[in-house]
Every structure is written in C-alpha cells, then in structure tokens.
Amino acid sequence: MKDGKTVAIVPGSFDPITYGHIDIAKRAAALYDTVYLAVMINDQKKYTFSIEERERIAKRALYGVDNVCVISSKGMLWQLAKELSADAIVKGYRNQVDYDYEQKMAQFNAEKNPFAKTVLLEANEKYYCLSSTVVREKINNNESLEDMLPRAAINEINEILSKRKKS
C-alpha cells in the first residue's frame, strides 16, 4: 500500500478477455484503489492473439472503468507485483479444479513476494461456462460473440482478424 492507496493486479492470458474476466476486474476495482489488469504470457499456452492484440482487446473491453488500467507483461507475476507495489493479486475461479490450481500459484507467488496477497474471487455463476476457449471456438466458427464480451472488444477482434486476412 502506497500513500494509503491499495493496488491490485488481475493477471491472466485473456486470449481474449471475456465478460467473466471483466466481472472479476470490476469486482477488484470495488475493493482496491488501483487495479492493473495484466495481460501475461503462460509458456504452456499457444495463443490466438499476440500479447499486444490481447492488451488492445482488453483496453477496449474495460474502457471507462476508471480505476482499472490494462497493461501487459512478459515477466513473472510476482516480479510485476513487486514493480507495481501491489498489495494483492486477484484471481477468479469457476470450479474446484481452477481453485486448486490458483491455490498452488498463490503459494508460489507468496514465497517469491509475500507482500502481495492472493485473493480468490468465485466467478459469478452466469459466467461459469464462459471461457476464452469458448470464445475462440466461436471465432473459428464465425459465430456471434455478443453474449461473451463487449461490442468494443468484438470490434477490435474483428479489426485484428480483418488485417490478418489482408496480409
């Protein structure tokens, strides 16, 4: 906590961001003075969108949420938490498998940076079945994304995909 202001990071791959991610970011924004939604890289994943594209999509999706700042980082989460003087790492979970994984990650991050406590927020039940994987499947099948992410984010995805087709 700096100058009495609390700082949290909501990290993830966000390939792409969904309403479930946005809900977690907004809930974190109600708990902390400044929230960094950090678009990050997980070496275990293959991405549809580059880190720069994922950051642009997330910025469009969260435009107007005053205390949420979208950033990207190619480093380790615990290092980013130190750099930003974060008080908390906020993660969402949908089920027991997610929860168990996030608990293991929380333990790892706490060993590296004990100043940023991990806070786990259960996903809103209307987003239990919503994931970036489902969004990517709909993109590949040219299906509507209207109920999965905001129009501004959909427009950004369409712009990115349009540019790829022209290349």
Side-chain angles (χ1 to χ4, degrees):
M1 185 180 338
K2 282 185 144 182
D3 303 327
K5 302 277 187 186
T6 55
V7 176
I9 301 172
V10 177
S13 299
F14 307 112
D15 188 35
I17 196 167
T18 69
Y19 276 131
H21 299 130
I22 294 165
D23 181 61
I24 295 295
K26 286 180 175 179
R27 287 165 54 197
L31 299 171
Y32 300 93
D33 296 308
T34 301
V35 172
Y36 292 96
L37 182 115
V39 178
M40 303 193 73
I41 292 180
N42 177 339
D43 292 334
Q44 308 301 312
K45 293 184 177 183
K46 183 169 171 34
Y47 294 106
T48 298
F49 299 99
S50 71
I51 192 167
E52 296 82 10
E53 290 168 337
R54 290 182 279 135
E55 183 179 359
R56 285 200 323 261
I57 294 164
K59 281 181 177 177
R60 297 277 295 268
L62 286 160
Y63 180 80
V65 183
D66 291 337
N67 60 331
V68 176
C69 178
V70 177
I71 61 172
S72 61
S73 175
K74 295 180 180 179
M76 298 294 289
L77 176 56
W78 66 268
Q79 290 171 321
L80 181 62
K82 268 189 178 172
E83 290 168 23
L84 297 173
S85 299
D87 303 290
I89 297 167
V90 179
K91 299 284 294 193
Y93 68 94
R94 292 171 294 200
N95 52 43
Q96 191 63 45
V97 173
D98 283 356
Y99 183 83
D100 292 344
Y101 173 79
E102 295 303 346
Q103 285 285 72
K104 286 180 191 160
M105 294 308 298
Q107 184 176 0
F108 173 81
N109 288 320
E111 288 169 7
K112 299 291 185 181
N113 179 3
F115 301 105
K117 304 294 180 212
T118 298
V119 176
L120 300 178
L121 299 179
E122 185 174 6
N124 183 314
E125 83 179 44
K126 69 181 172 182
Y127 302 126
Y128 276 4
C129 296
L130 181 55
S131 69
S132 294
T133 302
V134 172
V135 172
R136 290 191 305 272
E137 287 171 6
K138 291 209 176 239
I139 290 169
N140 291 336
N141 294 322
N142 291 317
E143 295 177 39
S144 173
L145 304 176
E146 294 296 326
D147 54 343
M148 301 187 163
L149 59 164
R151 168 53 47 202
I154 294 169
N155 291 344
E156 185 66 31
I157 289 170
N158 290 336
E159 287 175 34
I160 291 165
L161 297 176
S162 176
K163 286 178 186 171
R164 286 184 188 172
K165 286 180 184 175
K166 291 177 183 173
S167 307

